[in-house]
Amino acid sequence: MATLAQSASYRGKVGKVAATLTVTATAPTAWGDAWWSWARTAWPGPMSTRFHRQPAGGGGQLPMAITASFWWGRNIPTHGSTPSQAGGGSHARMKTWFSSLCATCHSTNSRLSCKGWEVRATYPLPNWSLPMPPLPPVPPHPLEVIMVGAGYVGLVSGAAMARLGATVTVVESNPGRLTALRSGTIPLHEPGLGELVASERAANRLHFAANLAETALSAPAGTFKAPRLVFLAVGTPENTKPGQQGAADLSAVQAALDELASLLPPNPSLTILATKSTVPVGTGAALARRFQALRPDAPLVVTSNPEFLAEGQAVHNFLNPDRILVGLPGGDTPPSYVQAARQAYSQLYAPLVIKGVPLLFTKRESAELAKYAANAFLAVKIAFMGEIADFCEHSGASVDEVAHAMGLDPRIGPEFLEAGPGYGGSCLPKDVPALVASAAQSNITLTVPQAAHLANKARKAGLGGRMARVMHLAGKRIALLGLAFKAGTDDVRASPALDLATDLLSQGASLALHDPEALANARAAMQALDLPPQQSERLHWAPTLEAALTGADAAVLLAAWPCYKDIAPDHMAQLMKGRHLFDFRRAWQPQPLRAAGFTLHAVGMAEETIPSHCDSEL
Ligand SMILES: NC(=O)c1ccc[n+]([C@@H]2O[C@H](COP(=O)([O-])OP(=O)(O)OC[C@H]3O[C@@H](n4cnc5c(N)ncnc54)[C@H](O)[C@@H]3O)[C@@H](O)[C@H]2O)c1
Ligand SMILES: O=c1ccn([C@@H]2O[C@H](COP(=O)(O)OP(=O)(O)O[C@H]3O[C@H](CO)[C@@H](O)[C@H](O)[C@H]3O)[C@@H](O)[C@H]2O)c(=O)[nH]1
């Protein structure tokens, strides 16, 4: 038992109802983690909680601040149309809860104030005693992680796992990418990744290898002091073989497994294999069978640890996930292997779990399917809003207002309701058909994801047609702004911009293409299309936004990079020849652009915004 000097304070806002209780304690910081796990289970709050701990100093007897955020949940009614009316309901509930919290904590002298939308409360908690459990055992060795593939997922996950304390070797078979990494260059655009990789390399926790044979995996049995985790983060693109179109191409996953089987030493200790790659349900079981046939002497447990990061915010997503999902095998797998896997994951992700991130252990099949189901659900939301946006354009409604009104319903939520040019990227476009194809193998027809997939393909293919309805395209110079599949990344895989570019070229337009990060990737992708010379000579790669806009008859916004949002309308008007703007992201403000003389065609905005003089161009 230790006595802690504490104070607690609460600050919450109506509509975003969360209470933060900050407990300031003077305690040996070495006890922090143990106190933490005790607090998470023993806290008397009636609602779900999320804990954060911020040590105020290094080891020893330094004070630390502990913040426990008590989330009220998503069902707080915020009735009324004025702050005080709306606040009444939820603030009253908050007050009741805090009063009971106070009583539970034997607190006196609590202060509570309610001003506009905000409630503040301060509760001194004198002489509040908390039992201190014994320190948990410290694992004797850091985890050894091998990450196969240094793409968006493998490189981010590998570096972030090193940050979590593991010793990580990232294996990359692409020589150019490996050379770049070894020389300290990050071969992809991901905010924060450069700093993360550099600091983990400097701490000697992050290494790179050209193949599995270069890692310690091929060393004699007994080399590893702790269980080794081998993650597969290789690509699983859409299969293009006849008869298998749409299904996931698992050849890179299988090749990596075969490589592993070929180099493990005789009678090695247990290897924990994890698919970070997105793989169809049943893949883990198939990989286990394949490995068993190749290496009956080598103990292996195949687990699923799907990744939910989104490009452009990958480092942040990995280190602050909504959940960590781990699928464990059942059936014939020895329980001791499964237990070892569970322990290894618990150790690997402990620094995140301690922050309150849920670590879900499920059946392996559930984890595999949950990843696809999540992506398909996101795809359905986006595709649905695309169709609603089309209807808005013909009904006088604004899709922004419709989405906002829908999103305030907590059963719907505000995320992923932005209608745009169609979803792109390396995940949703290939994962939805892969889900549909894998279900079809079990004679299950997934009509809803399939409809989203078809709607999205049609949306991307129809962008040029939308433009052709308001202006002649042949002979015109069009500035395409934003070539990545969304702002924040240099990834152009399945980018709507590439679909539109090929369509506009075939309609006779000249293109000036610009992107702040994705120009090189877009150029490589367009070159790979092997366009006829009369089309490729009409492609112009603009090094600056100004160069793209200069002399353009029209500009098209496809990815909402800040540089496009921030450009001054008058500056655009000076540079451009024509006055047509197509905003497929609704990132541009209509009024200032109209004031500068532009005609704005924005997705999901009513037709009346298009002046009648456009007809004369048809
Ligand atoms: N990109 C994302 O945002 C994201 C998010 C979650 C999940 N995923 C899934 O993760 C997987 C990887 O996606 P990605 O975008 O990182 O792919 P990527 O194509 O960017 O990277 C894969 C990397 O693996 C390398 N590689 C392939 N085979 C190898 C081998 N045998 N040994 C060593 N290196 C090898 C490739 O050279 C490449 O650099 C996919 O299944 C994808 O669906 C992707
Ligand atoms: O409201 C929205 C949200 C997204 N998009 C588009 O949808 C696509 C995908 O966007 P996003 O999901 O942000 O990017 P990804 O990096 O592809 O991430 C998705 O795919 C990853 C790979 O599986 C998952 O890990 C992530 O959770 C999932 O969000 C992009 O073209 C976006 O422009 C919209 O049009 N409207």
Side-chain angles (χ1 to χ4, degrees), residues 416-472:
F416 274 70
L417 295 181
E418 281 180 24
Y423 59 76
S426 65
C427 295
L428 306 191
K430 66 143 174 93
D431 288 347
V432 179
L435 172 67
V436 172
S438 62
Q441 287 186 348
S442 304
N443 291 322
I444 301 292
T445 308
L446 298 183
T447 51
V448 176
Q450 176 65 359
H453 176 60
L454 295 178
N456 193 59
K457 277 176 83 164
R459 188 164 193 82
K460 287 157 79 175
L463 298 176
R466 283 168 183 259
M467 294 176 63
R469 283 198 285 278
V470 293
M471 68 180 286
H472 281 302

Side-chain angles (χ1 to χ4, degrees), residues 321-364:
D322 300 317
R323 75 296 207 190
I324 301 163
L325 182 55
V326 175
L328 298 173
D332 298 340
T333 313
S336 61
Y337 293 8
V338 178
Q339 185 56 22
R342 187 185 270 267
Q343 274 173 1
Y345 277 112
S346 300
Q347 184 181 339
L348 176 68
Y349 290 122
L352 300 180
V353 172
I354 229 157
K355 286 200 296 182
V357 176
L359 172 59
L360 305 183
F361 287 105
T362 64
K363 291 173 71 179
R364 185 170 58 198

Side-chain angles (χ1 to χ4, degrees), residues 157 209 251 314 340 508 541:
S157 307
S251 53
W541 300 96

Side-chain angles (χ1 to χ4, degrees), residues 72-153:
W72 189 272
R74 287 158 199 240
N75 292 323
I76 286 272
T78 49
H79 305 296
S81 53
T82 67
S84 57
Q85 284 170 353
S90 40
H91 281 185
R93 282 158 167 252
M94 275 299 188
K95 283 180 194 173
T96 311
W97 182 73
F98 265 91
S99 304
S100 69
L101 175 71
C102 249
T104 314
C105 301
H106 314 295
S107 171
T108 52
N109 302 327
S110 60
R111 279 186 289 119
L112 191 65
S113 67
C114 185
K115 189 179 165 196
W117 291 90
E118 200 169 280
V119 178
R120 290 178 191 213
T122 308
Y123 297 93
L125 303 173
N127 301 321
W128 188 21
S129 294
L130 293 171
M132 286 286 182
L135 283 177
V138 179
H141 300 288
L143 279 177
E144 296 276 353
V145 167
I146 312 287
M147 181 69 63
V148 185
Y152 291 86
V153 168

